[in-house]
Amino acid sequence: MRTFEININSNLRAVPVAIVFFGLSIYLIGEIPRDLPDFLSYVIIAILFLFPIIPTTLLSRGKIRVELAEDAFRTIWIRRFFLSNKQNIELDWNRVIDYVNQEDRGLDSFRLTLTNNQQYKFYRYTYFPQKDDFENFLYYLPVFLQKVELAKERTIEKGKTEFQSRSFKWVLIGLTIIAIGLLVNTLMNPNSGTRWASLGVIFSGIFFYWQQATRKK
């Protein structure tokens, strides 16, 4: 048996914390003196905008120990979420169809697809470096699954992420066309009001999601 200690986050608990702290940040941004130099204003705005990520991440975090045993996949709470009474989980391998690790900007998720249209899923916020065993867990899991006795009957393979679905790719194609249109319009009409910094953010996001959509299983 192999064990891994992993930090996870609760979206349910993150949302109200984010609302409070981002609301406070927006209020403070509105109180910035207008006579400050532009550069200093931008720095203060950036700090106030990014700061809420810290309490949102920390106040929604829990910790689990994942056990990969010959008979089952188990998660045991090391530190539960605030005001949580969720119990430990044990899933026999014959209930597991596939597994998926989905990487997003600042939000990763791991999912086991189960029989009877059920899922087991947890989230990890990755805005900051984390000291846990998640990467080691992802590396060892496929190696372990090749060794379990179930492999003699069938294999538990890595499934597709939501970004690799056909519907998401069509949405991404549409967004790419719109972004190219904005770029062409800005080149032909420099006074259009579209900032190059905004275009840079848009295209970096599209590039990231194309990487995720075209990543092999």
Side-chain angles (χ1 to χ4, degrees), residues 15 57 71 76 97 142 174 179:
V15 170
T57 299
D71 59 333
I76 299 171
I97 297 173

Side-chain angles (χ1 to χ4, degrees), residues 17-200:
V17 176
I19 290 173
V20 170
F21 281 93
F22 275 106
L24 178 61
S25 290
I26 292 172
Y27 170 77
L28 293 176
I29 288 173
E31 295 297 311
I32 296 175
R34 297 185 179 276
D35 56 351
L36 284 180
D38 287 344
F39 175 76
L40 182 58
S41 294
Y42 289 147
V43 171
I44 295 174
I45 290 172
I47 293 173
L48 289 175
F49 184 76
L50 295 175
F51 172 75
I53 296 174
I54 299 174
T56 300
T57 299
L58 295 179
L59 296 178
S60 65
R61 179 179 290 177
K63 193 168 189 176
I64 57 175
R65 181 170 70 250
V66 174
E67 295 183 353
L68 299 181
E70 286 289 333
D71 59 333
F73 173 96
R74 301 185 184 92
T75 61
I76 299 171
W77 287 101
I78 298 175
R79 183 176 67 252
R80 285 180 170 83
F81 299 129
F82 179 65
L83 296 179
S84 171
N85 61 353
K86 288 188 175 183
Q87 302 302 306
N88 299 329
I89 298 293
E90 180 170 326
L91 301 169
D92 293 342
W93 289 115
N94 57 15
R95 292 187 58 196
V96 180
I97 297 173
D98 63 25
Y99 68 95
V100 174
N101 175 49
Q102 181 169 295
E103 297 179 14
D104 203 344
R105 289 187 161 189
L107 172 63
D108 290 353
S109 64
F110 177 82
R111 183 186 77 227
L112 293 178
T113 305
L114 309 175
T115 55
N116 299 325
N117 295 319
Q118 294 180 319
Q119 292 183 350
Y120 168 77
K121 191 173 187 177
F122 63 74
Y123 297 91
R124 296 175 74 252
Y125 296 166
T126 57
Y127 301 103
F128 309 102
Q130 300 208 41
K131 295 181 179 180
D132 66 3
D133 300 327
F134 185 65
E135 295 299 328
N136 291 334
F137 164 70
L138 291 180
Y139 175 81
Y140 183 75
L141 179 61
V143 177
F144 175 83
L145 291 177
Q146 292 178 358
K147 298 178 181 178
V148 295
E149 292 184 2
L150 185 63
K152 298 176 183 178
E153 304 172 11
R154 65 179 178 87
T155 57
I156 300 174
E157 298 181 346
K158 189 174 184 180
K160 289 185 177 182
T161 67
E162 296 172 2
F163 302 141
Q164 294 170 319
S165 67
R166 181 174 298 180
S167 58
F168 181 83
K169 289 179 180 178
W170 278 112
V171 171
L172 195 55
I173 289 171
L175 292 176
T176 303
I177 293 172
I178 293 173
I180 293 173
L182 286 173
L183 176 61
V184 172
N185 181 64
T186 303
L187 290 172
M188 297 181 65
N189 182 16
N191 297 320
S192 64
T194 303
R195 295 177 178 271
W196 286 105
S198 299
L199 287 174

